[in-house]
């Protein structure tokens, strides 16, 4: 690597990216002789992003603050691309590190490509093979795979997806998913100091004999009729299982909040709370009996804690969880959601099978592998 450390710019903008990149930032910074790390955030998730940064004690060196109210995807993309390009012109890194599939990831990779700066893609190779699901994330991932120089795939299946698309095998490595690294750090913190879950009665966290269904839902493709159907399913389940607590940290997007509060706001065993910081959310996952979600990261985190996951999407870019038996796809169809949750709450054999399934997403050493790979590839 020569006498000078590699200038690495880690660029991210959303809460999931922060969760998965902060452990890598800490791992890279543990070797100042190898890497000069500079952290740039776009602020694509402002409040939720800052909460994660605080957990890992990561302070951004540059904050582009690109978000504006009610902006379109095209406006966000053009603004992010211009802002990241200005940042790269000033910083001149040797390598840009991005993670996942957001607009920040795509624009950072494209801006780096335009300036002939190498790109390392963490969590590379996830595919649904449906360009509209998840939207627009599937296409963002595909684009980044054409732009990246280093592809850090979490699983064998993700690696095979890249090879299928013609990515050179020498540029691809299977590392596991850095979300497991982050989760292990978070679980240690939660154990040392159990966090308060704001808006949730304390007895719910304390009474672990009472079943708890944790719900997250915010995907763009579910806006409208999909969210109406999801809320209808939760209302039906809450009426059917009066002894079960349903806890829903409601995303800030008005396309989510309007139907959720309208349809679920008066249910006594449905608790609608504000979005949670990372550590309280991890504590709530740990407390839950099962999880109903359309999130990507939750599909990876929950198996580490033995929590069955029902995914409210018709496709997933994480098929390993389905194959391992720890997650099931139920879509946004009201009947399928009700049946899926009801089965897990009443069928002990099924619950035991799903909760005991092997976690296919790694052993918590993904960041360590990535650091060594970046060290050896210079």
């Amino acid at each position: 690597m020569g006498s000078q450390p590699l200038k690495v710019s880690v660029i991210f903008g959303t809460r999931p990216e922060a969760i998965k990149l902060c452990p890598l930032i800490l791992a890279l910074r543990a070797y100042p002789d190898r890497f000069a790390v500079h952290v740039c955030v776009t602020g694509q998730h402002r409040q939720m992003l800052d909460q994660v940064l605080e957990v890992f004690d990561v302070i951004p060196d540059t904050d582009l603050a690109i978000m504006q109210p009610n902006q379109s995807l095209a406006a966000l993309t053009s603004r992010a691309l211009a802002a990241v390009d200005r940042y790269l012109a000033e910083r001149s890194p040797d390598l840009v590190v991005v993670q996942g599939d957001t607009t920040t990831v795509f624009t950072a990779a494209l801006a780096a490509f335009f300036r002939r700066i190498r790109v390392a893609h963490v969590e590379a190779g996830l595919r649904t093979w449906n360009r509209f699901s998840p939207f627009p994330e599937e296409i963002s991932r595909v684009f980044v795979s054409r732009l990246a120089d280093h592809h850090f795939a979490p699983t064998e299946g993700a690696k095979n997806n890249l090879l299928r698309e013609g990515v050179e095998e020498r540029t691809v490595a299977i590392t596991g998913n850095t979300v497991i690294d982050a989760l292990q750090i978070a679980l240690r913190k939660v154990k040392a100091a159990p966090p308060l879950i704001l808006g949730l009665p304390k007895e719910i966290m304390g009474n672990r004999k009472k079943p708890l269904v944790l719900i997250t839902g915010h995907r763009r493709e579910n806006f409208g009729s999909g969210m109406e159907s999801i809320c209808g399913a939760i209302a039906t389940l809450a009426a059917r299982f009066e002894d079960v607590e349903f806890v829903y940290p409601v995303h800030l997007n008005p396309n989510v909040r309007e139907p959720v509060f309208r349809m679920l706001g008066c249910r006594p065993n449905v608790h609608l709370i504000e979005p949670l910081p990372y550590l309280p959310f991890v504590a709530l996952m740990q407390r839950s009996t099962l999880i109903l979600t359309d999130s990507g990261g939750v599909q990876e985190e929950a198996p580490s804690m033995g929590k069955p996951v029902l995914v409210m999407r018709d496709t997933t870019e994480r098929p390993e969880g389905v194959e391992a038996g720890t997650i099931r796809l139920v879509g946004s169809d009201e009947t399928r959601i009700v049946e899926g949750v009801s089965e897990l709450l009443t069928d002990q054999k099924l619950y035991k099978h799903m909760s005991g399934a092997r976690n296919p997403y790694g052993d918590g050493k993904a960041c360590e592998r990535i650091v060594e790979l970046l060290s050896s590839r210079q």
Side-chain angles (χ1 to χ4, degrees):
M1 294 179 62
S3 59
Q4 296 297 318
L6 191 76
K7 292 175 64 177
V8 179
S9 284
V10 184
I11 303 177
F12 56 96
T14 68
R15 170 185 165 123
E17 292 169 84
I19 291 170
K20 296 179 180 183
L21 283 176
C22 280
L24 180 58
I25 291 167
L26 299 179
L28 290 168
R29 283 181 169 168
Y31 298 93
D33 57 323
R34 301 187 202 176
F35 307 103
V37 181
H38 198 269
V39 176
C40 173
V41 299
T42 63
Q44 192 175 333
H45 286 174
R46 179 75 278 158
Q47 181 180 352
M48 294 184 286
L49 174 68
D50 292 343
Q51 293 168 350
V52 175
L53 294 173
E54 184 178 347
V55 169
F56 292 96
D57 196 25
V58 171
I59 300 173
D61 300 290
T62 299
D63 189 337
L64 301 179
I66 62 169
M67 290 300 285
Q68 293 184 3
N70 301 317
Q71 62 190 347
S72 67
L73 281 172
L76 172 62
T77 301
S78 62
R79 190 178 305 108
L81 183 61
V84 173
D85 182 64
R86 289 191 295 269
Y87 162 77
L88 294 177
E90 179 180 337
R91 179 64 184 168
S92 296
D94 303 308
L95 178 74
V96 165
V97 176
V98 294
Q99 184 282 326
D101 56 14
T102 69
T103 299
T104 289
V105 177
F106 166 53
T107 54
L110 184 59
F113 170 75
F114 286 159
R115 291 190 174 272
R116 297 181 180 270
I117 298 169
R118 286 177 298 154
V119 175
H121 188 199
V122 177
E123 198 185 70
L126 277 63
R127 298 288 187 273
T128 65
W129 309 108
N130 178 346
R131 62 182 179 153
F132 292 109
S133 179
F135 175 83
E137 289 84 4
E138 175 76 1
I139 286 298
S140 294
R141 284 190 186 274
V142 173
F143 286 163
V144 175
S145 294
R146 305 306 304 166
L147 300 168
D149 302 273
H150 306 286
H151 307 264
F152 299 128
T155 64
E156 183 76 32
K159 175 183 178 180
N160 290 337
N161 289 340
L162 293 166
L163 300 183
R164 174 179 172 180
E165 293 179 345
V167 174
E168 291 184 73
E169 187 167 10
R170 65 177 181 82
T171 68
V172 183
I174 300 172
T175 61
N177 199 305
T178 59
V179 75
I180 307 303
D181 302 43
L183 184 62
Q184 291 183 357
I185 294 171
L187 286 170
R188 289 195 293 270
K189 290 178 177 286
V190 166
K191 183 178 181 180
L196 178 67
I197 311 295
L198 293 178
L200 194 65
K202 291 182 179 180
E203 59 268 20
I204 290 178
M205 292 298 289
N207 183 9
R208 293 182 177 269
K209 292 183 179 180
K210 196 168 187 179
L212 188 154
V213 177
L214 173 60
I215 305 155
T216 73
H218 68 276
R219 285 286 183 179
R220 188 180 297 267
E221 60 265 33
N222 280 335
F223 290 175
S225 61
M227 284 304 306
E228 296 273 342
S229 180
I230 288 168
C231 291
I234 297 167
T236 298
L237 287 163
R240 179 179 298 180
F241 297 98
E242 295 181 355
D243 61 336
V244 175
E245 305 289 2
F246 295 84
V247 180
Y248 193 162
V250 187
H251 197 277
L252 297 175
N253 192 304
N255 292 291
V256 176
R257 295 177 77 85
E258 192 282 325
V260 168
F261 280 97
R262 170 170 47 84
M263 298 179 68
L264 301 174
C266 296
R267 304 282 173 172
N269 58 334
V270 177
H271 307 274
L272 305 180
I273 61 177
E274 293 303 306
L276 293 173
Y278 182 49
L279 291 184
F281 185 73
V282 168
L284 195 52
M285 281 198 294
Q286 193 175 38
R287 162 65 180 90
S288 69
T289 306
L290 64 95
I291 300 175
L292 183 62
T293 186
D294 62 9
S295 166
V298 172
Q299 296 176 48
E300 300 155 342
E301 294 166 316
S304 292
M305 294 179 278
K307 307 299 178 180
V309 180
L310 298 179
V311 180
M312 297 182 292
R313 289 163 55 184
D314 295 318
T315 60
T316 179
E317 64 275 43
R318 296 164 173 86
E320 296 86 357
V322 177
E323 294 163 5
T326 190
I327 72 173
R328 291 172 59 189
L329 296 175
V330 294
S332 59
D333 178 77
E334 183 171 343
T335 300
R336 290 173 63 194
I337 294 171
V338 170
E339 289 177 351
V341 174
S342 298
E343 278 188 307
L344 280 169
L345 290 174
T346 58
D347 187 334
Q348 292 185 358
K349 185 177 179 180
L350 173 63
Y351 184 88
K352 185 176 180 180
H353 171 73
M354 290 188 69
S355 63
R358 177 186 62 85
N359 178 12
Y361 297 112
D363 55 6
K365 297 181 180 179
C367 293
E368 179 182 322
R369 295 186 183 99
I370 291 171
V371 167
E372 290 306 312
L373 286 163
L374 289 177
S375 298
S376 65
R377 288 184 177 182
Q378 308 315 316

